[in-house]
Amino acid sequence: MTRSLKTRIADWVAAGRNVVGDLYHALITMGWPAFLLGIGVIFVLANSAFALAYLAQPGAIVHARPQSFADAFFFSVQTMATIGYGIMYPGTFYANVLMSLETLIGLFGVAFATGLAFARFSRPRARIRFSEAAVVSLYHGVPTLMFRVANQRGNQILEARVQATLLRTEHSPEGQRMRRFRDLVLLRDSTPSFSYSWTVMHPITSNSPLSGTSRAALEEQDAELVVILAGLDETLSQTIHARHVYKPAAIHWRHRLRDILSKDTHGNYLIDYRHFDGIEIEPPETQGEA
């Protein structure tokens, strides 16, 4: 067996242990299709195992066809779900013991699945939209990194805070290579009430981690711009958060975000979300040294 194959098998085993060790977290965070499929597979496998156990003793199920897996399986389903037997019922002491064990497992299984479903439904979720691209353009004469976030629900997020961090590979003077987090100072990193849209801005001054850099440099450093927004959902009274990552290809120098703000005939401000992700080249007369 080659070393690479050994390493691959070890990785598979470690991954399996991690899933089993944190099974609750995996069941809570996986998508609904995978969750429902998993519950269905476990249900079928459990009833199949009990069906084989009933078939191990001839005559264990009264009125069941001899050695009929289908009859034993559906008898097991009725037992586990406490539906009621109809014309089939346990016919021996062995079958009654097996039926009692299956009923107990079924009760625990229903309670477990119900608790998981409730936990998944009650988990607060933020519907925060991040613009697909970030731009670097002049703002008050200073090159500024900008991107948008929007609250896609009709309520408000109270005490909302946003944090932007540059994650990149750096080398120490001794030649040691490591991944480092560099926090970006924002013009405004919090708002008492976040309802619609918010343009987040980071001035690229001489103290900024982005000072003197470019898209090519960020790609060489395998950089990522990690953005986290958190706040209190006024409807649920629970803390919600959202996360987005901008790769270097999504950061456009000498571009600006398209205007999405307008007024209707009554003087009310409107936000055009059709252009939420839109960017445009910065006019040459305003590009300067950005």
Side-chain angles (χ1 to χ4, degrees):
M1 183 180 294
T2 64
R3 180 176 179 83
S4 60
L5 182 57
K6 288 182 179 180
T7 303
R8 189 176 303 175
I9 292 176
D11 292 341
W12 288 341
V13 172
R17 287 176 179 173
N18 291 338
V19 172
V20 173
D22 205 359
L23 182 60
Y24 177 78
H25 183 269
L27 291 172
I28 289 294
T29 55
M30 69 173 54
W32 275 106
F35 175 76
L36 295 176
L37 178 62
I39 294 296
V41 169
I42 292 173
F43 181 78
V44 171
L45 291 178
N47 282 286
S48 297
F50 276 105
L52 294 175
Y54 286 118
L55 291 176
Q57 184 185 65
I61 305 175
V62 177
H63 296 150
R65 291 171 293 178
Q67 296 303 306
S68 172
F69 178 81
D71 285 359
F73 178 83
F74 290 117
F75 174 80
S76 173
V77 170
Q78 295 174 24
T79 300
M80 185 171 291
T82 64
I83 295 174
Y85 299 123
I87 62 172
M88 292 189 294
Y89 55 89
T92 65
F93 177 77
Y94 167 82
N96 276 287
V97 172
L98 197 59
M99 176 270 297
S100 301
L101 176 62
E102 184 176 8
T103 302
L104 181 63
I105 293 176
L107 291 174
F108 276 108
V110 170
F112 180 72
T114 302
L116 280 176
F118 177 78
R120 291 173 62 88
F121 274 114
S122 60
R123 189 162 63 107
R125 294 180 180 271
R127 290 192 60 195
I128 302 299
R129 179 177 175 180
F130 293 85
S131 59
E132 294 180 356
V135 299
V136 176
S137 62
L138 286 180
Y139 179 75
H140 288 186
V142 179
T144 303
L145 172 73
M146 304 182 190
F147 56 88
R148 286 192 182 114
V149 293
N151 178 15
Q152 293 185 285
R153 288 200 168 101
N155 64 350
Q156 298 187 25
I157 299 176
L158 307 178
E159 300 177 3
R161 299 188 64 86
V162 65
Q163 179 181 5
T165 304
L166 182 67
L167 173 61
R168 64 186 179 188
T169 301
E170 297 182 2
H171 294 82
S172 68
E174 295 77 20
Q176 186 175 2
R177 179 175 179 271
M178 62 181 61
R179 298 287 283 173
R180 299 296 301 270
F181 288 89
R182 302 295 184 184
D183 293 332
L184 304 185
V185 178
L186 305 177
L187 281 181
R188 182 165 60 92
D189 62 2
S190 65
T191 178
S193 178
F194 177 33
S195 301
Y196 302 110
S197 177
W198 181 0
T199 300
V200 182
M201 295 183 288
H202 163 68
I204 304 179
T205 62
S206 58
N207 296 324
S208 169
L210 292 174
S211 177
T213 191
S214 63
R215 177 189 293 183
L218 293 178
E219 290 176 345
E220 184 179 350
Q221 297 167 348
D222 194 20
E224 296 178 338
L225 176 61
V226 182
V227 182
I228 297 176
L229 187 146
L232 183 68
D233 188 297
E234 69 165 351
T235 304
L236 302 175
S237 296
Q238 290 181 302
T239 300
I240 57 175
H241 66 275
R243 177 179 178 272
H244 189 77
V245 176
Y246 290 99
K247 297 288 187 179
I251 303 176
H252 300 266
W253 264 257
R254 304 185 189 278
H255 282 68
R256 64 184 183 186
L257 300 171
R258 289 191 61 179
D259 189 14
I260 60 173
L261 196 63
S262 62
K263 283 186 177 182
D264 61 13
T265 56
H266 301 288
N268 299 316
Y269 282 102
L270 301 177
I271 296 178
D272 188 354
Y273 285 103
R274 294 175 301 175
H275 303 303
F276 184 82
D277 297 313
I279 61 173
E280 56 190 14
I281 299 176
E282 195 174 26
E285 63 272 15
T286 65
Q287 285 184 2
E289 300 297 325

